[in-house]
Amino acid sequence: MHKNSIKTRAGSLVLATAALTTLITIASPAAFADQSDDAKHAERADTTRCKGLPNHGQLKAALGAAVGDDDTGLGNQMWATIVDDTGKVCAVAFSGLTLGAQWLASRVISAQKANTANSLSLDNFAFSTALLFSASQPGGFLFGLQHSNPVATDVAYKGPSANFGQHNDPMVNERIGGINVFGGGLALYSAGHVKMGGVGVSGDTSCTDHFIAWRVRTNLNLHHLAGIPSDNIIFDIAPNPGGGTGISASGFGHPTCPNGDAGDLADLPAVIQ
């Protein structure tokens, strides 16, 4: 790990670890157990809007702990956004001690990733943004997807900027839109494979964004995906003899990144039922 990574992240790790211990369980493991699909969906009006998802403080604690546990990428501080199952932004947070310790562009990118993962996932099918890279390249079966749903710029850049990353971030209670096609966006699942919304993380390499998003989702106990196809990142892109974009054997491959590749997948926590 880079020396700068250790120095940059160490300051927030102690605070984040302490804060994480205060996290309330967001979704009861039995909340949707043994219900029919119709029954699960009938509950959604009351259980899958923002009030049933992590708040700002819980997201910030989960993000800080995830950043501290990760040793890939550039060692940067991060942004994270949660949206509900309608795409409405519920919470925005950053790691690090102050606003400005992160890439500012990653605030909106994290929201775009959360929207993407939520809007393309179902109760029985989770689609991470990492799985969209190869499919959205020229010749891919989802080519052009990233241009199909523009970010709402009036929401993304509304002020005051002093509220960015706070409980009253200007994006909260708005729909950001956008489609992102590299790592960092994951759908959120309660027990019974009920999709609750999405989380997006941005601020480092796209591989590290995915690794940290994965840890954030675990920290929030919204990783109930066991038994459905995995939404984990796939590193299977081989060089293209004809030049240009490499070829993914699965069609869902993602490029490797500096200090972050397939070897780091084994360190990620498992999903649960």
Side-chain angles (χ1 to χ4, degrees), residues 8 12 35-36 50 53 82 103 105 122 127 139 153 162 169 191 199 206 223 226-227 236 243 256 268 272:
T8 303
S12 60
Q35 294 187 23
S36 67
C50 288
L53 285 164
I82 286 176
W103 291 342
L122 303 170
F127 220 147
T153 54
D169 186 290
V199 62
S206 53
H223 59 311
D236 69 351
T256 56
L268 295 178
I272 61 176

Side-chain angles (χ1 to χ4, degrees), residues 4 7 41 60 63 65 71 77 86 94 103 130 143 146 150 152 177 181 212 230 243 256:
N4 288 341
K7 183 177 180 181
H41 286 270
K60 188 174 181 68
L63 176 64
D71 63 356
Q77 298 293 348
T86 72
F94 57 77
W103 291 342
F143 173 60
Q146 61 268 47
V181 295
I212 292 179
S230 174
T256 56

Side-chain angles (χ1 to χ4, degrees), residues 17-121:
T17 301
L20 185 63
T21 62
T22 67
L23 275 174
I24 300 172
T25 300
I26 305 305
S28 170
F32 293 94
D34 300 322
Q35 294 187 23
S36 67
D37 287 342
D38 287 342
K40 292 176 186 177
H41 286 270
E43 294 286 345
R44 287 192 166 189
D46 294 326
T47 60
T48 63
R49 302 301 183 256
C50 288
K51 65 181 181 180
L53 285 164
N55 61 31
H56 170 264
Q58 292 164 333
L59 175 61
K60 188 174 181 68
L63 176 64
V67 168
D69 287 340
D70 185 83
D71 63 356
T72 66
L74 307 175
N76 290 349
Q77 298 293 348
M78 310 293 286
W79 285 91
T81 298
I82 286 176
V83 302
D84 71 11
D85 65 326
T86 72
K88 183 172 66 176
V89 175
C90 298
V92 183
F94 57 77
S95 68
L97 300 179
T98 60
L99 176 66
Q102 322 76 18
W103 291 342
L104 181 58
S106 288
R107 171 179 169 268
V108 175
I109 295 172
S110 72
Q112 180 192 43
K113 290 179 180 181
N115 178 74
T116 303
N118 172 68
S119 63
L120 294 178
S121 296

Side-chain angles (χ1 to χ4, degrees), residues 70-209:
D70 185 83
D71 63 356
T72 66
L74 307 175
N76 290 349
Q77 298 293 348
M78 310 293 286
W79 285 91
T81 298
I82 286 176
V83 302
D84 71 11
D85 65 326
T86 72
K88 183 172 66 176
V89 175
C90 298
V92 183
F94 57 77
S95 68
L97 300 179
T98 60
L99 176 66
Q102 322 76 18
W103 291 342
L104 181 58
S106 288
R107 171 179 169 268
V108 175
I109 295 172
S110 72
Q112 180 192 43
K113 290 179 180 181
N115 178 74
T116 303
N118 172 68
S119 63
L120 294 178
S121 296
L122 303 170
D123 284 349
N124 60 354
F125 185 81
F127 220 147
S128 67
T129 56
L131 296 178
L132 295 172
F133 179 86
S134 289
S136 63
Q137 301 305 308
F141 61 90
L142 293 175
F143 173 60
L145 178 68
Q146 61 268 47
H147 306 299
S148 66
N149 186 7
V151 166
T153 54
D154 58 328
V155 174
Y157 304 113
K158 181 169 63 175
S161 60
N163 294 344
F164 287 179
Q166 306 301 321
H167 70 92
N168 56 349
D169 186 290
M171 290 193 294
V172 171
N173 291 323
E174 304 283 356
R175 290 182 173 83
I176 188 67
I179 296 290
N180 184 281
V181 295
F182 51 85
L186 298 169
L188 300 173
Y189 287 86
S190 180
H193 303 158
V194 178
K195 180 173 71 74
M196 304 286 285
V199 62
V201 170
S202 181
D204 206 290
T205 69
S206 53
C207 303
T208 294
D209 290 355

